Amino acid sequence: MANEAVIISRFESFDIYAVAAAGLLDGINPCAFTTIVFFISFLALAGYGKREMAAAGVSFTLAVFVAYILIGIGIFKFLRLAGAFAYAAAALNVLIGCFALFLGILNIADYLRYRKTKDAGASLLRLPQAVKNRIHLAIGSDLRQDREAGRKPVFKIARAAFGAGFVVSILESVCTGQVYLPTIAYVLKIPDRHISAAIYLVLYNLAFIIPLALVFIMSFLGVSSGAFSKISQRHFGIVKLATAALFFAFAAILFMT
């Protein structure tokens, strides 16, 4: 029994690291990072002071966390409900496994394309331009109105940033959900979980917002949005390979179970 407990503990540790790594990779993927950079650029160009930027940044980050938790709960409940039926569970395993495998291949294709062109904008897995435009509009509208009014207190700026962050998260999930869905399917396949699925969701999303929080902290230290773009461009290939490896691992697990 003691040896069995040790084995279970080691597998749980692996599961924790796998979920945290998935959230972190999702947070630094080009879809999420581009939105972060745009948000920082907008705050700077709109003339926000440090106090206002802090309020907007914390509120925006909190909104992203809350929105993704809610999205994750919805996906989890749907998959668990479908999993109550044997044939549906098997079909979902195959479908999500194929989806993960397909995304892994696309990430490899993006990596090879980037090596050839050195242009991250030519990625196959990117937000559609129409969604990008809606995200920029969601970020800009309320915050721009607050800034132009000049009389609105910090808490109203924070409220506008929270609303923008929530809407942006829903729109951005078109891209970031590519990692989220296979991760939740993976969590459902963890045998004899001693850690609840809710904790895994929180862990994933805490890891997801770490890059967002770091960007805001670095912006206060004077790092420009151009520098963030260069960092993203420089590590684009590594992120693509790591994400591909993650998708292939999830696909293998889902196919085997």
Side-chain angles (χ1 to χ4, degrees):
M1 291 295 293
N3 289 336
E4 183 181 348
V6 170
I7 292 170
I8 291 173
S9 175
R10 287 178 178 174
F11 272 107
E12 279 190 347
S13 297
F14 172 77
D15 294 331
I16 289 171
Y17 292 133
V19 172
L24 190 61
L25 280 173
D26 201 8
I28 59 177
N29 78 42
C31 300
F33 211 85
T34 301
T35 301
I36 295 169
V37 171
F38 176 81
F39 183 65
I40 290 296
S41 303
F42 176 83
L43 292 177
L45 290 173
Y48 279 86
K50 293 291 184 181
R51 187 175 172 220
E52 295 167 317
M53 286 185 69
V58 170
S59 189
F60 188 90
T61 304
L62 179 61
V64 171
F65 179 78
V66 171
Y68 276 99
I69 285 287
L70 294 176
I71 291 170
I73 290 173
I75 295 173
F76 178 81
K77 285 186 174 181
F78 171 76
L79 292 180
R80 188 168 62 177
L81 180 64
F85 303 93
Y87 289 112
L92 277 174
N93 263 12
V94 173
L95 286 174
I96 298 175
C98 288
F99 180 62
L101 183 63
F102 176 65
L103 291 175
I105 293 170
L106 287 183
N107 272 277
I108 294 294
D110 278 346
Y111 169 75
L112 295 175
R113 179 176 291 197
Y114 174 73
R115 282 195 62 181
K116 183 177 181 180
T117 65
K118 299 299 179 183
D119 179 18
S123 171
L124 295 171
L125 291 171
R126 63 180 187 273
L127 281 173
Q129 189 58 47
V131 177
K132 284 185 182 179
N133 293 340
R134 286 183 174 273
I135 287 175
H136 294 172
L137 181 62
I139 289 174
S141 57
D142 289 341
L143 291 176
R144 187 180 294 110
Q145 289 172 12
D146 278 349
R147 185 59 188 165
E148 288 173 354
R151 302 184 303 274
K152 296 193 175 182
V154 170
F155 82 88
K156 287 192 176 181
I157 294 171
R159 186 177 64 185
F162 187 92
F166 198 90
V167 172
V168 164
S169 299
I170 302 300
L171 294 171
E172 198 179 63
S173 64
V174 173
C175 183
T176 55
Q178 296 165 3
V179 180
Y180 209 6
L181 175 60
T183 303
I184 293 174
Y186 167 74
V187 168
L188 283 169
K189 302 304 171 188
I190 297 172
D192 300 322
R193 285 194 308 273
H194 288 196
I195 301 175
S196 71
I199 293 176
Y200 280 114
L201 283 180
V202 171
L203 175 65
Y204 179 96
N205 286 287
L206 284 174
F208 179 79
I209 64 170
I210 284 175
L212 179 60
L214 288 176
V215 166
F216 285 123
I217 292 171
M218 291 171 68
S219 68
F220 284 121
L221 298 177
V223 179
S224 67
S225 59
F228 291 130
S229 296
K230 288 181 181 178
I231 293 172
S232 178
Q233 182 88 6
R234 190 181 309 132
H235 296 95
F236 182 84
I238 295 174
V239 171
K240 282 294 179 181
L241 284 179
T243 306
L246 182 72
F247 279 133
F248 290 145
F250 283 163
I253 292 168
L254 290 170
F255 284 141
M256 285 189 295
T257 56

